[in-house]
Amino acid sequence: MARTISSYFFRGVLMNLKISKFFKKLSSLGNKIDELSNIICYGKIISINGFVIQASGLKNSSIGSECFIERIIEESKRYYIIAEIIGFSGKITFLLPYEEINGILPGAYVFLKPGNKKNYLVKKIPLSTQLLGRVLDSRGEPLDQLPKIDYKYYTQIIARNSINPLHRVPITKVLDTGIRAINGLLTIGKGQKIGIFSNSGIGKSVLLGMMAKYTKADVIIIALIGERGREVKDFIENILDANSLSRSVIIAAPADVSPVLKIQSVSYAVNVAEYFFRHNKDVLLIMDSLTRYAMAEREISLSLGELPVSKGYSASLFSKIPNIIERTGIVNNTKGSITSFYTILTEGEDEQDPVAYLARAALDGHIVLSRHYSDSGHYPAIDIESSISRIMPNIINSKQYYQASYFKKLVSVYQKNRDLINIGAYVHGTDSLVDQAITMWPKLEKYLKQKMSEQCDYNSSCQDLNKIFL
């Protein structure tokens, strides 16, 4: 009798445990159902013009939302590519794919990227100190074969308002770049915005690599936009060292990716820089290149039917570039700064290039690289005569400013008379300033040259400049 009662007791306990587990699973399932989107939105492809896809039926969508487009690679298998919504016209939605569109059939289905009620249609990117030492694409996906960034570090992209100009803090501190010519003659301040104007193949990447290695900054953000895939790998493996990479975040969008990914990589790089800036870090943002970003914007705007106003660029570009540039600098109530360098590719007279013209007007100075110096083996190939730092007079002493100005004057005089000097046509004593430039030229040239493996801090740069005029 006791055994029977015991048996019933244990059976009751077991039954209660099973019921308890059942209700827990049911509750968990209910929570998962609640997290699902209550909207199932899809449409169909109606047209593809170039790389802009037109779809109908996509309701409740917004600019920047991501979609899945059905495509068939094999008869029995279906795949999906990701595209982003970039515009609307009536009931027509314009999409830009992230990859090749081969295999998309007429009338293919387009599904809005699913999400729960809280983050439906919300795009998130990883922002964290976990990004340091990583090489990522424009969506935060790893390119370095290391583990993917944990989703708990993903943050919603928030459109930021423009910074009140009265909230900006004056630039008063020198940024040590480790490059003698820049430290002594084109002194950069923390929070300054500088353009590097260069043709292809004259040492731009080497100069950027020296900045990344030697600049005294807490965090370095490097955005490689539209570069050849080989150059991206070479920059990471051969130009940067392990110490520089450990405090860097590299965001790459090579030449063969979609223009929308190139644009996203620029936005992502600025967001990452702002994240560390808000955590009171001195950030160095290197963007290579602003020109290829503008070209990607041009591809999209022309595909959408915007009217070109100059060299194929639409009017919207002339507000987008300043918006990107103005997000850097120093704002009050923060201890950090974002110093930014933007490379601009030039061809011949850059006055005819709207991107170069716009960048010169929006930036706090420019460093021009010269093919003449590059061809003669003079590196870094900085054209001191054409370069300027607009902040420099405010952050250095009067002695250095005088010496730097006189240095540039001697270089300019020598270069203007170089041909006469080389053929022996110049008569000594004709002009005392030219005579002095000829006498001092070996010292001036030595000061401007610097090996890639050589680092020269700000104090040493000023001391070397002072020695020239002793």
Side-chain angles (χ1 to χ4, degrees):
M1 183 68 177
R3 184 177 298 177
T4 303
I5 294 173
S6 176
S7 176
Y8 280 118
F9 173 77
F10 284 112
R11 286 180 185 178
V13 172
L14 186 61
M15 182 64 69
N16 287 334
L17 288 175
K18 288 182 178 180
I19 293 173
S20 176
K21 288 182 180 180
F22 171 76
F23 279 111
K24 283 183 179 180
K25 289 182 179 180
L26 188 62
S27 176
S28 176
L29 181 61
N31 290 335
K32 290 181 180 180
I33 292 173
D34 287 338
E35 291 176 357
L36 293 174
S37 170
N38 56 359
I39 303 172
I40 300 176
C41 188
Y42 69 93
K44 289 187 177 183
I45 300 297
I46 59 174
S47 174
I48 298 178
N49 296 319
F51 46 125
V52 174
I53 300 172
Q54 298 182 20
S56 64
L58 288 175
K59 300 178 181 179
N60 303 305
S61 57
S62 61
I63 299 294
S65 300
E66 292 184 345
C67 305
F68 292 108
I69 302 177
E70 182 185 48
R71 69 172 175 174
I72 300 176
I73 303 299
E74 300 176 11
E75 187 174 350
S76 59
K77 293 183 179 180
R78 295 177 183 270
Y79 298 87
Y80 296 89
I81 65 172
I82 301 176
E84 181 177 318
I85 296 177
I86 58 170
F88 305 96
S89 178
K91 296 183 179 180
I92 305 301
T93 303
F94 297 102
L95 312 172
L96 265 182
Y98 289 167
E99 51 193 296
E100 292 292 334
I101 58 176
N102 297 333
I104 296 180
L105 299 177
Y109 285 103
V110 183
F111 300 92
L112 279 177
K113 188 174 181 180
N116 59 38
K117 293 177 181 178
K118 295 181 179 179
N119 64 9
Y120 185 67
L121 301 181
V122 171
K123 183 185 294 184
K124 292 187 175 183
I125 54 175
L127 293 176
S128 167
T129 55
Q130 300 294 319
L131 301 180
L132 293 174
R134 299 299 303 271
V135 183
L136 308 169
D137 66 8
S138 59
R139 303 171 65 211
E141 299 292 331
L143 296 175
D144 50 13
Q145 299 180 346
L146 295 176
K148 184 176 179 179
I149 306 296
D150 195 309
Y151 191 74
K152 67 181 180 181
Y153 298 117
Y154 276 64
T155 305
Q156 178 182 347
I157 299 177
I158 300 174
R160 303 194 180 279
N161 297 326
S162 59
I163 300 172
N164 187 329
L166 299 183
H167 291 171
R168 289 190 179 273
V169 177
I171 297 172
T172 57
K173 296 181 179 179
V174 172
L175 179 72
D176 187 351
T177 63
I179 301 172
R180 184 167 45 243
I182 295 177
N183 281 342
L185 307 174
L186 303 167
T187 311
I188 306 298
K190 288 184 179 180
Q192 191 169 347
K193 301 176 279 286
I194 293 290
I196 299 177
F197 292 74
S198 169
N199 291 336
S200 58
I202 60 176
K204 169 175 60 67
S205 297
V206 173
L207 179 63
L208 295 180
M210 292 174 70
M211 287 181 176
K213 285 196 293 186
Y214 302 141
T215 299
K216 291 186 178 179
D218 299 321
V219 178
I220 301 167
I221 313 299
I222 304 173
L224 302 175
I225 317 299
E227 292 285 347
R228 294 185 292 270
R230 179 192 60 79
E231 287 187 344
V232 173
K233 186 175 182 179
D234 181 70
F235 184 88
I236 296 169
E237 294 184 354
N238 300 325
I239 296 180
L240 287 180
D241 55 23
N243 181 55
S244 302
L245 184 59
S246 66
R247 62 186 177 121
S248 301
V249 181
I250 299 177
I251 299 166
D256 58 344
V257 304
S258 167
V260 70
L261 291 179
K262 295 175 185 176
I263 294 170
Q264 280 189 8
S265 62
V266 172
S267 175
Y268 185 30
V270 177
N271 274 282
V272 175
E274 288 176 332
Y275 170 82
F276 286 103
F277 164 72
R278 290 193 298 271
H279 286 74
N280 299 324
K281 300 294 185 182
D282 288 322
V283 180
L284 174 65
L285 172 63
I286 298 175
M287 192 171 293
D288 183 20
S289 72
L290 198 63
T291 302
R292 293 195 178 104
Y293 162 77
M295 290 178 176
E297 287 282 6
R298 179 172 61 183
E299 288 183 66
I300 293 176
S301 61
L302 291 178
S303 299
L304 291 175
E306 289 189 50
L307 294 177
V309 294
S310 178
K311 286 199 170 183
Y313 294 107
S314 64
S316 61
L317 180 71
F318 295 88
S319 62
K320 290 178 179 178
I321 287 181
N323 286 343
I324 291 172
I325 293 173
E326 285 299 309
R327 288 172 65 179
T328 63
I330 310 177
V331 185
N332 59 0
N333 300 324
T334 57
K335 297 180 181 179
S337 64
I338 304 177
T339 308
S340 50
F341 286 86
Y342 306 88
T343 64
I344 296 96
L345 302 178
T346 57
E347 297 178 6
E349 296 294 329
D350 59 37
E351 288 80 4
Q352 304 300 321
D353 182 2
V355 178
Y357 182 82
L358 180 61
R360 281 182 181 271
L363 295 167
D364 297 325
H366 46 269
I367 298 172
V368 180
L369 300 188
S370 166
R371 187 168 294 279
H372 165 72
Y373 285 118
S374 175
D375 291 343
S376 61
H378 180 125
Y379 292 102
I382 299 175
D383 184 355
I384 292 296
E385 301 171 74
S386 304
S387 305
I388 189 172
S389 170
R390 295 173 182 167
I391 304 296
M392 181 177 175
N394 302 329
I395 59 176
I396 63 172
N397 57 52
S398 57
K399 181 180 179 181
Q400 183 191 346
Y401 184 71
Y402 171 78
Q403 291 176 339
S405 299
Y406 197 67
F407 187 107
K408 294 178 70 173
K409 187 175 184 179
L410 291 175
V411 172
S412 178
V413 167
Y414 184 89
Q415 294 295 351
K416 289 178 180 178
N417 294 275
R418 185 179 65 240
D419 293 338
L420 292 176
I421 296 169
N422 289 340
I423 64 175
Y426 174 76
V427 179
H428 185 76
T430 304
D431 188 322
S432 60
L433 189 61
V434 177
D435 294 342
Q436 187 179 9
I438 295 172
T439 303
M440 298 183 65
W441 180 247
K443 293 182 179 180
L444 302 179
E445 190 175 33
K446 181 180 179 181
Y447 186 86
L448 293 174
K449 287 184 177 181
Q450 184 174 337
K451 295 179 181 179
M452 183 180 174
S453 58
E454 178 187 356
Q455 180 181 1
C456 187
D457 62 30
Y458 176 71
N459 291 331
S460 298
S461 301
C462 294
Q463 291 171 6
D464 292 343
L465 179 63
N466 190 50
K467 289 177 183 177
I468 294 177
F469 298 100
L470 290 178

